[in-house]
Amino acid sequence: MLSRQSMRTLLLTLCVMLAVVPGCGILQRDRTPEEIFALALSGIAGKETMTFEGEAGLRRENSAMFENQFKFQGKLEEHDRLTLQTRLPGSVAAAGSGISMNAVNHNGQPGGFSASYERKRGQWTALAAEHEPLRGSLSRFNPIAQLEQIDTMKKTIQSEYGSGRQTRILRIELAPEDAKAWAASQLTDEMDAIRTEYMHKAAQVKGANQGKLEEELQKVWQQGETSMQKMFEKAEVHTVYHLTVDRKTSLPMRLSSESQMKYKDNSNRNNVEALVTDVNFKSYQ
Protein backbone atom coordinates (compact mmCIF):
# COMPACT_ATOMS: atom_id res chain seq x y z
CA MET A 1 0.00 0.00 0.00
CA LEU A 2 1.34 3.41 -0.99
CA SER A 3 2.19 5.89 1.73
CA ARG A 4 0.89 9.45 1.59
CA GLN A 5 4.34 10.70 0.55
CA SER A 6 4.60 8.08 -2.21
CA MET A 7 1.11 8.99 -3.47
CA ARG A 8 2.01 12.68 -3.58
CA THR A 9 5.20 11.92 -5.53
CA LEU A 10 3.28 9.74 -7.99
CA LEU A 11 0.66 12.43 -8.60
CA LEU A 12 3.34 15.08 -9.14
CA THR A 13 5.13 12.86 -11.65
CA LEU A 14 1.86 12.19 -13.49
CA CYS A 15 1.09 15.92 -13.70
CA VAL A 16 4.52 16.64 -15.19
CA MET A 17 4.09 13.86 -17.76
CA LEU A 18 0.68 15.13 -18.81
CA ALA A 19 1.99 18.67 -19.16
CA VAL A 20 4.75 17.72 -21.59
CA VAL A 21 3.00 15.08 -23.69
CA PRO A 22 2.20 16.63 -27.13
CA GLY A 23 -1.48 16.83 -27.90
CA CYS A 24 -2.61 16.25 -24.33
CA GLY A 25 -5.58 18.49 -23.70
CA ILE A 26 -5.89 17.98 -19.94
CA LEU A 27 -3.42 20.65 -18.88
CA GLN A 28 -2.76 22.40 -22.22
CA ARG A 29 -5.38 24.93 -23.24
CA ASP A 30 -6.02 25.59 -26.89
CA ARG A 31 -4.73 28.90 -28.17
CA THR A 32 -7.28 31.59 -28.92
CA PRO A 33 -7.66 32.86 -32.53
CA GLU A 34 -6.06 36.16 -31.45
CA GLU A 35 -3.04 34.31 -30.06
CA ILE A 36 -2.70 32.23 -33.22
CA PHE A 37 -2.74 35.40 -35.35
CA ALA A 38 -0.14 37.06 -33.10
CA LEU A 39 2.15 34.01 -33.34
CA ALA A 40 1.77 33.91 -37.15
CA LEU A 41 2.64 37.60 -37.41
CA SER A 42 5.68 37.34 -35.13
CA GLY A 43 6.79 34.18 -36.94
CA ILE A 44 6.78 35.77 -40.39
CA ALA A 45 8.39 38.93 -38.97
CA GLY A 46 11.37 36.89 -37.80
CA LYS A 47 12.14 35.31 -41.17
CA GLU A 48 15.14 36.43 -43.21
CA THR A 49 13.92 34.99 -46.52
CA MET A 50 10.69 33.59 -47.94
CA THR A 51 8.75 33.36 -51.19
CA PHE A 52 5.08 33.49 -52.09
CA GLU A 53 2.77 33.23 -55.09
CA GLY A 54 -0.62 34.87 -55.50
CA GLU A 55 -3.35 36.14 -57.77
CA ALA A 56 -5.81 39.01 -57.66
CA GLY A 57 -8.87 40.09 -59.57
CA LEU A 58 -11.80 42.50 -59.52
CA ARG A 59 -15.34 41.16 -59.57
CA ARG A 60 -18.40 43.38 -60.14
CA GLU A 61 -21.88 42.82 -58.72
CA ASN A 62 -22.52 39.08 -58.44
CA SER A 63 -20.67 38.20 -61.63
CA ALA A 64 -18.57 35.06 -61.76
CA MET A 65 -16.14 36.80 -64.10
CA PHE A 66 -12.99 38.57 -62.95
CA GLU A 67 -11.66 41.82 -64.43
CA ASN A 68 -8.18 43.32 -64.24
CA GLN A 69 -6.80 40.05 -62.93
CA PHE A 70 -3.20 39.01 -62.70
CA LYS A 71 -0.82 36.63 -60.98
CA PHE A 72 2.13 37.74 -58.92
CA GLN A 73 5.01 36.29 -56.99
CA GLY A 74 7.30 37.72 -54.37
CA LYS A 75 10.58 37.10 -52.60
CA LEU A 76 11.71 38.46 -49.25
CA GLU A 77 15.46 38.83 -48.76
CA GLU A 78 17.60 40.17 -45.93
CA HIS A 79 14.50 40.44 -43.76
CA ASP A 80 13.46 43.88 -45.07
CA ARG A 81 13.80 43.78 -48.86
CA LEU A 82 10.95 42.50 -51.00
CA THR A 83 10.57 42.04 -54.76
CA LEU A 84 7.16 41.61 -56.41
CA GLN A 85 6.68 40.44 -60.00
CA THR A 86 3.42 40.34 -61.92
CA ARG A 87 2.14 38.53 -64.99
CA LEU A 88 -0.86 40.11 -66.68
CA PRO A 89 -3.58 37.87 -68.16
CA GLY A 90 -4.54 37.94 -71.81
CA SER A 91 -8.23 37.19 -71.26
CA VAL A 92 -10.88 37.20 -68.58
CA ALA A 93 -11.43 33.84 -66.91
CA ALA A 94 -14.35 32.56 -64.87
CA ALA A 95 -14.02 32.74 -61.11
CA GLY A 96 -12.10 29.80 -59.71
CA SER A 97 -10.82 28.62 -63.09
CA GLY A 98 -7.38 30.22 -62.82
CA ILE A 99 -5.83 33.08 -64.76
CA SER A 100 -4.93 33.02 -68.43
CA MET A 101 -1.31 33.78 -69.26
CA ASN A 102 -1.72 34.60 -72.95
CA ALA A 103 -0.67 38.23 -72.93
CA VAL A 104 2.87 38.91 -74.14
CA ASN A 105 5.01 42.00 -74.44
CA HIS A 106 7.07 43.13 -77.40
CA ASN A 107 9.83 40.66 -76.44
CA GLY A 108 7.45 37.74 -76.65
CA GLN A 109 7.45 37.31 -72.85
CA PRO A 110 4.38 37.33 -70.58
CA GLY A 111 3.27 40.92 -69.89
CA GLY A 112 3.81 42.42 -66.47
CA PHE A 113 6.38 44.27 -64.41
CA SER A 114 8.34 44.04 -61.16
CA ALA A 115 8.80 46.30 -58.16
CA SER A 116 11.13 46.35 -55.18
CA TYR A 117 10.34 47.52 -51.66
CA GLU A 118 12.24 48.13 -48.47
CA ARG A 119 10.90 48.13 -44.91
CA LYS A 120 12.08 51.07 -42.85
CA ARG A 121 10.73 51.82 -39.38
CA GLY A 122 7.88 49.41 -39.99
CA GLN A 123 6.81 50.99 -43.30
CA TRP A 124 7.27 49.51 -46.78
CA THR A 125 8.59 51.97 -49.37
CA ALA A 126 8.69 51.36 -53.13
CA LEU A 127 12.21 51.58 -54.54
CA ALA A 128 11.09 53.06 -57.84
CA ALA A 129 11.00 56.43 -59.55
CA GLU A 130 8.13 58.67 -58.43
CA HIS A 131 6.67 58.62 -61.94
CA GLU A 132 6.18 54.84 -61.95
CA PRO A 133 2.88 54.50 -60.03
CA LEU A 134 2.03 51.02 -61.25
CA ARG A 135 5.04 49.67 -59.45
CA GLY A 136 4.20 51.67 -56.36
CA SER A 137 0.57 50.54 -56.32
CA LEU A 138 1.68 46.91 -56.19
CA SER A 139 2.34 47.46 -52.49
CA ARG A 140 -1.32 46.72 -51.72
CA PHE A 141 -0.60 43.10 -52.76
CA ASN A 142 2.32 42.70 -50.36
CA PRO A 143 0.96 40.02 -47.96
CA ILE A 144 3.48 40.85 -45.25
CA ALA A 145 2.39 44.50 -45.26
CA GLN A 146 -1.25 43.39 -45.22
CA LEU A 147 -0.73 41.25 -42.12
CA GLU A 148 1.14 44.07 -40.41
CA GLN A 149 -1.65 46.53 -41.24
CA ILE A 150 -4.36 44.11 -40.10
CA ASP A 151 -2.62 43.88 -36.74
CA THR A 152 -3.16 47.63 -36.14
CA MET A 153 -6.86 47.65 -37.05
CA LYS A 154 -10.08 46.85 -35.24
CA LYS A 155 -11.20 43.36 -36.19
CA THR A 156 -12.85 40.15 -35.09
CA ILE A 157 -10.93 36.88 -35.42
CA GLN A 158 -12.62 33.49 -35.35
CA SER A 159 -11.49 29.94 -35.96
CA GLU A 160 -13.01 28.38 -39.06
CA TYR A 161 -14.47 24.90 -39.03
CA GLY A 162 -12.85 22.43 -41.36
CA SER A 163 -9.26 23.06 -40.29
CA GLY A 164 -7.10 19.99 -40.70
CA ARG A 165 -4.90 18.35 -38.10
CA GLN A 166 -1.90 20.23 -39.44
CA THR A 167 -3.45 23.68 -39.95
CA ARG A 168 -5.68 26.26 -38.33
CA ILE A 169 -7.82 28.61 -40.43
CA LEU A 170 -8.68 32.05 -39.08
CA ARG A 171 -11.49 34.26 -40.36
CA ILE A 172 -10.51 37.90 -39.86
CA GLU A 173 -13.19 40.52 -40.43
CA LEU A 174 -12.10 44.14 -40.33
CA ALA A 175 -14.25 46.74 -38.61
CA PRO A 176 -16.23 48.54 -41.38
CA GLU A 177 -14.86 51.98 -40.50
CA ASP A 178 -11.27 50.74 -40.57
CA ALA A 179 -11.81 48.79 -43.80
CA LYS A 180 -13.27 51.90 -45.43
CA ALA A 181 -10.47 54.17 -44.22
CA TRP A 182 -7.84 51.71 -45.46
CA ALA A 183 -9.46 51.41 -48.91
CA ALA A 184 -9.73 55.20 -49.20
CA SER A 185 -6.08 55.63 -48.21
CA GLN A 186 -4.91 53.11 -50.81
CA LEU A 187 -6.94 54.71 -53.61
CA THR A 188 -5.74 58.19 -52.65
CA ASP A 189 -2.11 57.05 -52.76
CA GLU A 190 -2.63 55.47 -56.18
CA MET A 191 -4.37 58.57 -57.57
CA ASP A 192 -1.52 60.75 -56.32
CA ALA A 193 0.97 58.41 -57.99
CA ILE A 194 -0.97 58.51 -61.29
CA ARG A 195 -1.02 62.31 -61.15
CA THR A 196 2.74 62.34 -60.58
CA GLU A 197 3.28 60.05 -63.56
CA TYR A 198 1.24 62.14 -65.98
CA MET A 199 2.67 65.43 -64.77
CA HIS A 200 6.12 63.93 -65.32
CA LYS A 201 5.16 63.07 -68.91
CA ALA A 202 3.67 66.53 -69.45
CA ALA A 203 6.90 68.16 -68.29
CA GLN A 204 8.71 66.39 -71.13
CA VAL A 205 6.51 68.07 -73.75
CA LYS A 206 8.35 70.87 -75.50
CA GLY A 207 6.96 74.22 -76.58
CA ALA A 208 3.92 76.30 -75.70
CA ASN A 209 1.64 73.27 -75.25
CA GLN A 210 3.39 72.18 -72.08
CA GLY A 211 1.68 74.64 -69.77
CA LYS A 212 -1.74 73.98 -71.30
CA LEU A 213 -1.31 70.23 -70.99
CA GLU A 214 -0.26 70.49 -67.35
CA GLU A 215 -3.28 72.69 -66.63
CA GLU A 216 -5.64 70.21 -68.26
CA LEU A 217 -4.12 67.28 -66.40
CA GLN A 218 -4.41 69.13 -63.10
CA LYS A 219 -8.07 69.84 -63.82
CA VAL A 220 -8.81 66.21 -64.67
CA TRP A 221 -7.01 65.02 -61.55
CA GLN A 222 -8.95 67.42 -59.30
CA GLN A 223 -12.22 66.25 -60.83
CA GLY A 224 -11.26 62.65 -60.20
CA GLU A 225 -10.28 63.37 -56.60
CA THR A 226 -13.55 65.20 -55.94
CA SER A 227 -15.53 62.34 -57.49
CA MET A 228 -13.70 59.77 -55.38
CA GLN A 229 -14.24 61.70 -52.15
CA LYS A 230 -17.94 62.06 -52.91
CA MET A 231 -18.19 58.33 -53.67
CA PHE A 232 -16.55 57.39 -50.38
CA GLU A 233 -18.80 59.59 -48.26
CA LYS A 234 -21.61 57.03 -48.35
CA ALA A 235 -19.69 53.98 -49.51
CA GLU A 236 -19.74 50.75 -47.50
CA VAL A 237 -16.67 48.52 -47.35
CA HIS A 238 -16.69 44.96 -46.06
CA THR A 239 -13.32 43.18 -45.86
CA VAL A 240 -12.71 39.60 -44.75
CA TYR A 241 -9.41 37.70 -44.69
CA HIS A 242 -8.83 33.99 -44.28
CA LEU A 243 -5.44 33.04 -42.84
CA THR A 244 -4.25 29.42 -42.86
CA VAL A 245 -1.59 28.76 -40.21
CA ASP A 246 0.68 25.74 -39.79
CA ARG A 247 -0.08 24.20 -36.38
CA LYS A 248 3.52 23.03 -35.88
CA THR A 249 5.43 26.16 -36.87
CA SER A 250 2.69 28.81 -36.39
CA LEU A 251 3.76 30.28 -39.76
CA PRO A 252 1.24 31.54 -42.35
CA MET A 253 0.63 29.13 -45.22
CA ARG A 254 -2.11 30.97 -47.12
CA LEU A 255 -3.77 34.40 -47.00
CA SER A 256 -6.91 35.07 -49.03
CA SER A 257 -9.21 38.07 -48.92
CA GLU A 258 -12.30 39.68 -50.37
CA SER A 259 -12.88 43.41 -49.98
CA GLN A 260 -16.34 44.38 -51.18
CA MET A 261 -17.36 47.99 -51.73
CA LYS A 262 -20.88 49.30 -52.28
CA TYR A 263 -21.15 52.85 -53.66
CA LYS A 264 -23.12 55.19 -55.92
CA ASP A 265 -21.52 56.45 -59.12
CA ASN A 266 -21.85 59.92 -60.65
CA SER A 267 -25.21 58.91 -62.10
CA ASN A 268 -26.44 57.92 -58.64
CA ARG A 269 -26.54 54.24 -59.62
CA ASN A 270 -25.70 51.56 -57.08
CA ASN A 271 -22.51 49.62 -57.72
CA VAL A 272 -20.93 46.64 -55.99
CA GLU A 273 -17.39 45.48 -56.68
CA ALA A 274 -14.98 43.24 -54.83
CA LEU A 275 -11.21 42.91 -54.91
CA VAL A 276 -10.27 39.25 -54.37
CA THR A 277 -6.75 38.04 -53.56
CA ASP A 278 -5.20 34.68 -52.76
CA VAL A 279 -1.58 34.16 -51.65
CA ASN A 280 0.35 30.97 -50.83
CA PHE A 281 3.51 31.27 -48.74
CA LYS A 282 6.52 29.06 -49.51
CA SER A 283 10.19 28.48 -48.68
CA TYR A 284 10.65 30.03 -45.25
CA GLN A 285 14.21 30.43 -43.99
Short mmCIF file of all heavy atoms in Angstrom, two decimals, residues 1 4 34 44 50 54 64 68 77 102 105 125 137 142 147 155 161 176 190 234 249 252 275:
data_model
loop_
_atom_site.label_atom_id
_atom_site.label_comp_id
_atom_site.label_asym_id
_atom_site.label_seq_id
_atom_site.Cartn_x
_atom_site.Cartn_y
_atom_site.Cartn_z
N MET A 1 0.85 -1.19 0.00
CA MET A 1 0.00 0.00 0.00
C MET A 1 0.89 1.24 0.00
O MET A 1 1.86 1.33 0.77
CB MET A 1 -0.91 -0.01 1.23
CG MET A 1 -1.90 1.13 1.24
SD MET A 1 -3.09 0.94 2.61
CE MET A 1 -4.08 2.41 2.30
N ARG A 4 1.34 8.13 2.06
CA ARG A 4 0.89 9.45 1.59
C ARG A 4 1.98 10.16 0.81
O ARG A 4 1.72 10.82 -0.19
CB ARG A 4 0.46 10.28 2.80
CG ARG A 4 -0.04 11.68 2.42
CD ARG A 4 -0.59 12.42 3.61
NE ARG A 4 -1.77 11.72 4.15
CZ ARG A 4 -2.45 12.17 5.21
NH1 ARG A 4 -2.06 13.27 5.83
NH2 ARG A 4 -3.50 11.49 5.64
N GLU A 34 -6.92 34.96 -31.53
CA GLU A 34 -6.06 36.16 -31.45
C GLU A 34 -4.61 35.77 -31.18
O GLU A 34 -3.68 36.38 -31.74
CB GLU A 34 -6.56 37.08 -30.33
CG GLU A 34 -7.89 37.77 -30.63
CD GLU A 34 -9.09 36.86 -30.42
OE1 GLU A 34 -8.91 35.73 -29.88
OE2 GLU A 34 -10.21 37.25 -30.79
N ILE A 44 6.39 35.28 -39.06
CA ILE A 44 6.78 35.77 -40.39
C ILE A 44 7.70 36.97 -40.26
O ILE A 44 8.56 37.20 -41.11
CB ILE A 44 5.53 36.10 -41.23
CG1 ILE A 44 5.89 36.12 -42.72
CG2 ILE A 44 4.90 37.42 -40.82
CD1 ILE A 44 4.69 36.26 -43.63
N MET A 50 11.89 34.36 -47.67
CA MET A 50 10.69 33.59 -47.94
C MET A 50 10.22 33.92 -49.35
O MET A 50 10.65 34.91 -49.95
CB MET A 50 9.56 33.94 -46.95
CG MET A 50 9.14 35.39 -46.99
SD MET A 50 7.53 35.70 -46.26
CE MET A 50 6.48 34.96 -47.48
N GLY A 54 0.76 34.46 -55.70
CA GLY A 54 -0.62 34.87 -55.50
C GLY A 54 -1.30 35.30 -56.78
O GLY A 54 -0.69 35.35 -57.85
N ALA A 64 -19.58 36.09 -61.99
CA ALA A 64 -18.57 35.06 -61.76
C ALA A 64 -17.30 35.33 -62.56
O ALA A 64 -16.36 34.56 -62.53
CB ALA A 64 -19.13 33.69 -62.15
N ASN A 68 -9.47 42.79 -64.69
CA ASN A 68 -8.18 43.32 -64.24
C ASN A 68 -7.43 42.33 -63.35
O ASN A 68 -6.83 42.70 -62.34
CB ASN A 68 -8.41 44.63 -63.46
CG ASN A 68 -9.14 45.66 -64.26
OD1 ASN A 68 -8.93 45.80 -65.46
ND2 ASN A 68 -10.05 46.39 -63.62
N GLU A 77 14.04 39.06 -48.98
CA GLU A 77 15.46 38.83 -48.76
C GLU A 77 15.98 39.79 -47.71
O GLU A 77 15.49 40.91 -47.57
CB GLU A 77 16.25 39.02 -50.06
CG GLU A 77 15.87 38.05 -51.18
CD GLU A 77 16.63 38.31 -52.45
OE1 GLU A 77 16.35 39.32 -53.12
OE2 GLU A 77 17.52 37.49 -52.76
N ASN A 102 -1.93 34.47 -71.51
CA ASN A 102 -1.72 34.60 -72.95
C ASN A 102 -1.07 35.92 -73.37
O ASN A 102 -0.53 36.03 -74.46
CB ASN A 102 -3.06 34.46 -73.68
CG ASN A 102 -3.66 33.08 -73.47
OD1 ASN A 102 -2.93 32.11 -73.34
ND2 ASN A 102 -4.97 33.00 -73.41
N ASN A 105 4.50 40.68 -74.12
CA ASN A 105 5.01 42.00 -74.44
C ASN A 105 5.77 41.95 -75.77
O ASN A 105 5.77 40.95 -76.45
CB ASN A 105 5.89 42.53 -73.30
CG ASN A 105 7.07 41.62 -73.01
OD1 ASN A 105 7.52 40.87 -73.88
ND2 ASN A 105 7.57 41.66 -71.79
N THR A 125 8.43 50.90 -48.39
CA THR A 125 8.59 51.97 -49.37
C THR A 125 9.02 51.38 -50.72
O THR A 125 9.92 50.54 -50.78
CB THR A 125 9.65 52.98 -48.91
OG1 THR A 125 9.29 53.50 -47.62
CG2 THR A 125 9.77 54.13 -49.90
N SER A 137 1.89 51.03 -56.73
CA SER A 137 0.57 50.54 -56.32
C SER A 137 0.56 49.06 -56.04
O SER A 137 -0.38 48.53 -55.43
CB SER A 137 -0.47 50.88 -57.39
OG SER A 137 -0.20 50.19 -58.59
N ASN A 142 1.25 43.22 -51.21
CA ASN A 142 2.32 42.70 -50.36
C ASN A 142 1.67 42.03 -49.14
O ASN A 142 1.15 42.70 -48.27
CB ASN A 142 3.23 43.85 -49.92
CG ASN A 142 4.30 43.42 -48.93
OD1 ASN A 142 4.35 42.28 -48.50
ND2 ASN A 142 5.16 44.36 -48.57
N LEU A 147 -0.65 41.81 -43.46
CA LEU A 147 -0.73 41.25 -42.12
C LEU A 147 -0.33 42.27 -41.06
O LEU A 147 -0.95 42.35 -39.99
CB LEU A 147 0.15 40.00 -42.02
CG LEU A 147 -0.37 38.77 -42.76
CD1 LEU A 147 0.71 37.68 -42.79
CD2 LEU A 147 -1.63 38.23 -42.11
N LYS A 155 -10.82 44.57 -35.44
CA LYS A 155 -11.20 43.36 -36.19
C LYS A 155 -11.78 42.33 -35.24
O LYS A 155 -11.63 42.42 -34.02
CB LYS A 155 -9.98 42.79 -36.89
CG LYS A 155 -8.83 42.50 -35.93
CD LYS A 155 -7.55 42.21 -36.63
CE LYS A 155 -6.38 42.11 -35.65
NZ LYS A 155 -6.07 43.41 -35.00
N TYR A 161 -14.29 26.35 -39.04
CA TYR A 161 -14.47 24.90 -39.03
C TYR A 161 -13.84 24.31 -40.29
O TYR A 161 -13.74 24.97 -41.32
CB TYR A 161 -15.96 24.55 -38.96
CG TYR A 161 -16.61 24.92 -37.65
CD1 TYR A 161 -17.47 26.00 -37.57
CD2 TYR A 161 -16.35 24.18 -36.49
CE1 TYR A 161 -18.07 26.35 -36.37
CE2 TYR A 161 -16.93 24.52 -35.28
CZ TYR A 161 -17.80 25.61 -35.22
OH TYR A 161 -18.37 25.95 -34.03
N PRO A 176 -15.87 47.81 -40.15
CA PRO A 176 -16.23 48.54 -41.38
C PRO A 176 -15.56 49.90 -41.51
O PRO A 176 -15.11 50.27 -42.61
CB PRO A 176 -17.75 48.68 -41.26
CG PRO A 176 -18.16 47.51 -40.42
CD PRO A 176 -17.05 47.32 -39.43
N GLU A 190 -2.78 55.86 -54.78
CA GLU A 190 -2.63 55.47 -56.18
C GLU A 190 -3.00 56.63 -57.11
O GLU A 190 -2.35 56.83 -58.15
CB GLU A 190 -3.50 54.25 -56.46
CG GLU A 190 -2.97 53.00 -55.78
CD GLU A 190 -3.81 51.78 -56.06
OE1 GLU A 190 -4.69 51.85 -56.94
OE2 GLU A 190 -3.59 50.74 -55.42
N LYS A 234 -20.54 57.95 -48.72
CA LYS A 234 -21.61 57.03 -48.35
C LYS A 234 -21.30 55.59 -48.76
O LYS A 234 -22.18 54.73 -48.72
CB LYS A 234 -22.92 57.48 -48.99
CG LYS A 234 -23.40 58.83 -48.50
CD LYS A 234 -24.75 59.19 -49.10
CE LYS A 234 -25.24 60.54 -48.56
NZ LYS A 234 -26.57 60.89 -49.13
N THR A 249 4.50 25.04 -36.84
CA THR A 249 5.43 26.16 -36.87
C THR A 249 4.78 27.50 -36.54
O THR A 249 5.49 28.48 -36.29
CB THR A 249 6.08 26.28 -38.26
OG1 THR A 249 5.05 26.60 -39.23
CG2 THR A 249 6.76 24.97 -38.65
N PRO A 252 2.32 31.45 -41.35
CA PRO A 252 1.24 31.54 -42.35
C PRO A 252 1.53 30.65 -43.55
O PRO A 252 2.66 30.60 -44.04
CB PRO A 252 1.25 33.02 -42.75
CG PRO A 252 1.91 33.73 -41.62
CD PRO A 252 2.93 32.77 -41.08
N LEU A 275 -12.58 43.27 -54.60
CA LEU A 275 -11.21 42.91 -54.91
C LEU A 275 -10.91 41.61 -54.18
O LEU A 275 -11.03 41.52 -52.95
CB LEU A 275 -10.24 44.00 -54.45
CG LEU A 275 -8.75 43.69 -54.65
CD1 LEU A 275 -8.42 43.57 -56.13
CD2 LEU A 275 -7.88 44.76 -53.99
#
